[in-house]
Amino acid sequence: GDVITGLFHESDLLVAEAVRRGLFNGLSAPEVAALASCVVYEDRSPEPAPPARHPTAEVARRARSLERLHAELVKLSDRYGAPRPRDPDGGFSDIAFGWVDGESFADLVDGTDLTGGDFVRTIRQVVDLCEQLSQVAPDDAVAAAAAAAVAAGVRGVVADSAVVQPASDDGGAQR
């Protein structure tokens, strides 16, 4: 109960249950970001989604556990007429891992169909979920790894996107 009340995400029940079951336990900061991205990311392409590209065998194993947990929650949702949780999607897992691990924006998006805006939006959502995890995780190591993911994730284009320029009083006209 304490975990879910501190989460503000459309998949809060899935995340809270993943925390309760220890799916984030023992993961590094980049791995926490990679697993969190499975809950955040949603492929929007009209084409069939490519297979998930998880950065480590451990993240792949945890993502499979997350998918099994999701299936359990779908069955319960159907049984009780509750809304179904959105499907986990591992299509951004390796990118989230790479970003939090220090890779450059250019290296991560090179050869992908990912736009800069989609990259920034998704990383910001991953960082937001990691921030929430850092506050609610009952395991101190998970909270620390999630906080480290936040610290490592807010840099470069992601940090720059948070800078808002004040509007000019003259409607944007140049002087």
Side-chain angles (χ1 to χ4, degrees):
D2 290 337
V3 172
I4 199 166
T5 60
L7 294 172
F8 302 97
H9 190 273
E10 68 179 300
S11 297
D12 54 0
L13 182 58
L14 179 61
V15 174
E17 190 61 16
V19 168
R20 189 184 74 76
R21 293 187 184 190
L23 294 185
F24 291 95
N25 292 13
L27 297 180
S28 67
E31 289 172 322
V32 167
L35 190 60
S37 79
C38 295
V39 179
V40 168
Y41 180 72
E42 183 175 21
D43 183 70
R44 296 173 185 240
S45 171
E47 303 298 318
R53 297 177 316 265
H54 297 296
T56 67
E58 188 58 29
V59 170
R61 188 179 73 73
R62 304 284 178 107
R64 286 190 301 274
S65 294
L66 188 67
E67 290 167 359
R68 287 190 298 274
L69 172 57
H70 173 266
E72 290 176 36
L73 293 177
V74 166
K75 285 180 185 178
L76 288 170
S77 297
D78 290 349
R79 180 182 304 153
Y80 295 105
R84 285 178 156 207
R86 188 169 53 79
D87 293 346
D89 187 334
F92 197 82
S93 179
D94 60 338
I95 293 172
F97 180 98
W99 182 252
V100 171
D101 200 37
E103 289 185 47
S104 74
F105 166 75
D107 288 344
L108 289 168
V109 299
D110 187 40
T112 71
D113 293 335
L114 195 62
T115 68
D118 287 342
F119 172 86
V120 169
R121 178 180 45 77
T122 306
I123 288 292
R124 290 183 62 76
Q125 290 173 341
V126 168
V127 165
D128 179 63
L129 183 54
C130 288
E131 174 67 26
Q132 292 178 51
L133 287 171
S134 76
Q135 300 297 314
V136 301
D139 182 279
D140 290 341
V142 171
V150 172
V154 180
R155 63 180 174 87
V157 295
V158 175
D160 293 345
S161 72
V163 177
V164 178
Q165 297 296 324
S168 64
D169 293 336
D170 60 2
Q174 295 202 4
R175 295 177 190 202

